[in-house]
């Protein structure tokens, strides 16, 4: 009995050390993002807000990457998540979250669930996140991981996000985390007047331009460009 108790204590101490190590690595990543943002940000346009930084400090990226990548979880770079896909670079996640300028009552659509990390970052900030993933194995894994982590305000589904998610539209904001050749018209339709969409647009397997679209109250769309990014392609039948 004594041996068993000792063993349990040892295992729980190891788990705690693990969690504390990841928390320290996450804090260091956020510190690095602050420095990075000072360097690349246009102060008037894309300073990463405290709220977004707080979300980056909270979400456990290491719980959403494959075990083989876990030790790199808090490096500011994309990581492979299997099936030829990636979890995005933390700075790009923060920037895209910042650009859509969400608040507590918002309902947001994400196209490209991948690991579920971007959805979790958004879930800390908004009322509800709907997220669509086209690869079944990733959709299943992300759903399970997000449930295990206790996110009750994220709804995921397997499908082609090009067409959006009509039943839950219109959305206050839309975030597309795969590179499209053009802005999908169904997504523009499903954006609320006054809403924002961020999407990388350009050629497959090249760099793309990060676009921010704002739909005015009159339904006009104003587009701004936010530099070069590199995303995996938006796939599907369209
Ligand atoms: N947001 C993800 C995260 O936080 O891990 C990273 C997304 S990864 C860069 C792009 C994802 O978009 C991939 O998982 C890919 O399978 C998915 N994807 C590509 N085309 C799609 C489509 N038409 N509809 C939904 N998901 C799509």
């Amino acid at each position: 009995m004594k041996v068993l108790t000792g063993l349990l204590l040892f295992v729980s101490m190891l788990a705690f050390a693990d969690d504390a190590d990841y928390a320290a690595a996450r804090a260091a990543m956020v510190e690095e993002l602050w420095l990075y943002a000072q360097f690349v940000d246009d102060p008037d346009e894309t300073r990463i807000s405290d709220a977004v930084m707080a979300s980056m400090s909270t979400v456990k990226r290491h719980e959403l990457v494959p075990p083989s990548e876990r030790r790199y979880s808090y490096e500011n770079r994309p990581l492979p998540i299997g099936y030829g896909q990636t979890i995005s670079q933390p700075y790009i996640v923060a920037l895209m979250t910042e650009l859509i300028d969400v608040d507590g009552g918002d309902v947001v659509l994400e196209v490209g669930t991948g690991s579920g990390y971007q959805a979790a970052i958004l879930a800390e900030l908004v009322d509800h996140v709907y997220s669509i993933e086209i690869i079944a194995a990733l959709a299943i894994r992300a759903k399970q991981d997000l449930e295990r982590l206790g996110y009750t305000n994220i709804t995921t589904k397997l499908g082609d996000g090009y067409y959006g998610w009509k039943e839950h539209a219109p959305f206050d904001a839309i975030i597309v985390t795969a590179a499209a050749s053009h802005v999908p018209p169904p997504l523009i339709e499903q954006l609320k007047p006054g809403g924002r969409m961020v999407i990388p647009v350009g050629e497959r397997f090249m760099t793309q331009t990060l676009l921010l679209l704002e739909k005015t109250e009159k339904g006009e769309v104003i587009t701004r460009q936010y530099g070069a990014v590199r995303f995996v392609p938006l796939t599907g039948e369209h």
Side-chain angles (χ1 to χ4, degrees), residues 85-86 110 112-115 118 133-135 160-161 177 232 234-235:
Q85 305 304 318
T86 53
E110 180 193 23
T113 316
S115 65
Q118 174 73 76
E133 170 57 51
I134 203 164
I135 297 178
D160 186 347
T177 65
V232 293
L234 188 74
T235 57

Side-chain angles (χ1 to χ4, degrees), residues 61 64-65 78-79 81-89 93 96 110-121 131-136 138-139 142 157-164 175-179 204 230-238:
R61 196 173 189 245
L64 295 164
V65 300
L79 296 171
I81 54 171
Y83 311 93
Q85 305 304 318
T86 53
I87 179 172
S88 306
Q89 178 191 358
V93 172
M96 289 174 79
E110 180 193 23
V111 175
T113 316
S115 65
Y117 180 63
Q118 174 73 76
I121 292 289
S131 183
I132 309 173
E133 170 57 51
I134 203 164
I135 297 178
L138 290 178
K157 79 164 179 180
L158 172 65
D160 186 347
Y162 181 91
Y163 301 100
I175 188 160
V176 181
T177 65
R204 285 166 161 240
R230 189 186 285 264
F231 276 84
V232 293
L234 188 74
T235 57
E237 296 295 310
H238 55 271

